[in-house]
């Protein structure tokens, strides 16, 4: 069994330009009014949206809340004639590597446009799509993924998000920020506290060895299945695939949650090697009807399926 994970980071202070590269500039978002975008799925059942690059397209990009930097396939970058902008050290599930960076004048998702984007260029076979839409192209936005309607809504973010909970079954979790990623700390698996990162670029959830040992200690009869994970750098990692009986995020109870266990590179970056931690991938997120991620207010909203509410 092979699992695709596309978490890729170009973190402040870690992404390094080399040679005669142009110094990286911060993408400038142009914030629109609320906008709803029809989505599709890639082969790994991750959510994709049509994206215009320098006014051309649309091209299918994976929505990746676990990626700090937007990524474009090498093939599409060459087709569009995107100029090189040096190299940067990028971090993925299996490790790190220097990769080529290209300059993009504009990245547009419906009416939402971000200018002056420095994107990593990687082979399409490792991405599973034309590119990954990272949080550098989504800053200042709140993303609402509706898995029932297969749509994504983009609205301006707000630090003072006091919008009342309108939907029955809506649960709001306030997260902390680590290296630009939202980390939920009010969570546990089989009664053990877990640090959780929402990663829409990952097909499945993945936990570290600390969490695995706690799960096995509580229930030594858990069936374990060996799997292999691949990331955007083409690196493969072996893992143990286990179904966790009970998982809780905030006030949300999740039953029979599958998790692949391995000490992948992001846990080291987030300083979570000694704490029970996991990346919550699309398989786990799809158990909800709707998920909203707001990087400014640090709030993640989960709408339970109607059957669970009733």
């Amino acid at each position: 069994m092979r699992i695709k994970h596309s978490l890729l980071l170009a973190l402040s202070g870690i992404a390094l330009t080399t040679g005669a590269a142009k110094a990286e500039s911060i993408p400038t978002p142009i914030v629109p009014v609320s906008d709803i975008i029809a989505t599709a799925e890639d082969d790994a059942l991750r959510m994709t949206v049509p994206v215009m690059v320098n006014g051309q397209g649309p091209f299918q990009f994976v929505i990746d809340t676990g990626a700090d930097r937007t990524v474009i396939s090498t093939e599409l970058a060459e087709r569009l004639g995107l100029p090189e902008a040096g190299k940067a050290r990028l971090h993925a599930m299996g490790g790190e590597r220097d990769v080529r960076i290209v300059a993009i004048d504009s990245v547009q998702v419906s009416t939402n446009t971000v200018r002056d984007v420095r994107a990593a260029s990687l082979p399409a076979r490792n991405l599973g799509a034309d590119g990954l839409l990272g949080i550098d192209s989504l800053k200042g936005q709140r993303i609402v993924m509706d898995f029932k309607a297969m749509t994504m809504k983009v609205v301006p973010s707000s630090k003072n998000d006091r919008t009342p909970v309108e939907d029955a079954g809506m649960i709001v979790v306030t997260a902390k920020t680590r290296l630009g990623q939202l980390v939920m700390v009010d969570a546990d698996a089989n009664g053990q506290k877990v640090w959780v990162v929402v990663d829409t670029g990952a097909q499945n959830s993945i936990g570290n060895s600390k969490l695995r040992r706690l799960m096995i200690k509580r229930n030594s009869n858990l069936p374990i299945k060996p799997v292999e994970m691949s990331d955007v750098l083409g690196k493969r990692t072996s893992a143990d695939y286990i179904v966790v009986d009970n998982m809780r995020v905030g006030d949300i109870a999740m039953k029979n949650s599958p998790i692949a266990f391995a000490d992948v590179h992001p846990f080291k970056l987030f300083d979570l090697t000694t704490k029970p931690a996991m990346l919550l991938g699309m398989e786990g997120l799809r158990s909800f009807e709707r998920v909203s991620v707001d990087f400014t207010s640090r709030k993640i909203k989960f709408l339970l399926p109607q059957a669970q509410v009733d």
Side-chain angles (χ1 to χ4, degrees):
M1 179 179 180
R2 184 172 296 173
I3 300 173
K4 182 178 289 293
H5 284 266
S6 65
L7 185 145
L8 181 146
L9 305 171
L11 305 171
S12 176
I14 296 178
L16 305 175
T17 56
T18 60
K22 174 184 175 182
E24 292 193 42
S25 57
I26 299 174
T28 305
I30 300 176
V31 181
V33 296
S34 173
D35 191 31
I36 297 178
I37 307 156
T39 65
E41 293 178 347
D42 72 346
D43 292 339
L45 298 182
R46 298 170 301 171
M47 188 173 281
T48 65
V49 293
V51 173
M52 302 293 289
V53 179
N54 289 351
Q56 299 186 58
F59 308 105
Q60 290 301 314
F61 278 54
V62 172
I63 302 169
D64 194 348
T65 59
D68 187 66
R69 181 192 293 274
T70 291
V71 183
I72 189 170
S73 72
T74 301
E75 294 84 349
L76 180 56
E78 292 177 351
R79 173 181 165 189
L80 298 178
L82 301 179
E84 291 195 23
K87 291 185 178 181
R89 175 61 56 89
L90 295 184
H91 301 258
M93 284 289 172
E96 58 187 291
R97 193 180 74 198
D98 287 339
V99 300
R100 186 168 66 102
I101 301 298
V102 296
I104 302 176
D105 293 333
S106 66
V107 173
Q108 180 181 350
V109 183
S110 190
T111 57
N112 177 58
T113 302
V114 179
R115 305 286 184 186
D116 194 19
V117 176
R118 295 295 182 265
S121 177
L122 298 172
R125 65 179 180 274
N126 295 335
L127 302 179
D130 294 318
L132 307 177
L133 202 62
I135 60 177
D136 60 338
S137 295
L138 297 169
K139 288 180 179 179
Q141 309 297 315
R142 177 160 57 93
I143 309 151
V144 183
M145 294 166 285
D146 191 320
F147 296 109
K148 183 177 181 180
M150 286 299 294
T151 61
M152 180 185 78
K153 182 166 67 173
V154 180
V155 297
S157 243
S158 174
K159 290 184 179 179
N160 300 312
D161 183 5
R162 301 183 183 277
T163 304
V165 177
E166 301 176 354
D167 299 292
M170 177 73 79
I171 297 176
V172 181
V173 178
T174 300
K176 293 185 177 182
T177 302
R178 284 204 173 193
L179 301 178
Q181 310 301 314
L182 295 183
V183 182
M184 297 179 288
V185 295
D186 183 18
D188 64 65
N190 283 347
Q192 298 294 329
K193 181 179 178 180
V194 183
W195 295 61
V196 179
V197 179
V198 173
D199 183 7
T200 60
Q203 177 183 352
N204 290 81
S205 301
I206 181 169
N208 62 5
S209 290
K210 182 69 174 179
L211 178 59
R212 181 185 185 278
R213 286 193 294 269
L214 291 173
M215 296 298 97
I216 298 299
K217 182 178 180 180
R218 293 178 64 88
N219 186 355
S220 60
N221 294 320
L222 286 174
I224 300 174
K225 180 178 182 179
V227 297
E228 184 181 70
M229 300 183 297
S230 61
D231 66 16
V232 293
L233 296 179
K235 295 185 177 182
R236 297 179 180 179
T237 303
S238 297
D240 291 331
Y241 194 69
I242 301 174
V243 177
V244 177
D245 297 331
N246 296 294
M247 182 175 170
R248 179 191 63 82
V249 177
D251 294 328
I252 307 165
M254 301 171 65
K255 300 291 185 180
N256 300 321
S257 301
I259 303 175
F261 288 94
D263 285 324
V264 293
H265 190 58
F267 292 127
K268 179 180 179 181
L269 289 175
F270 297 147
D271 192 25
L272 293 175
T273 56
T274 61
K275 304 177 180 69
M278 67 175 290
L279 305 169
L280 183 60
M282 288 299 287
E283 188 172 48
L285 293 172
R286 286 181 182 280
S287 61
F288 303 99
E289 185 171 312
R290 189 164 71 239
V291 177
S292 167
V293 180
D294 191 320
F295 289 95
T296 302
S297 67
R298 297 184 290 106
K299 290 183 179 178
I300 304 173
K301 300 181 180 180
F302 300 88
L303 178 62
L304 297 173
Q306 192 61 38
Q308 294 187 31
V309 177
D310 298 337

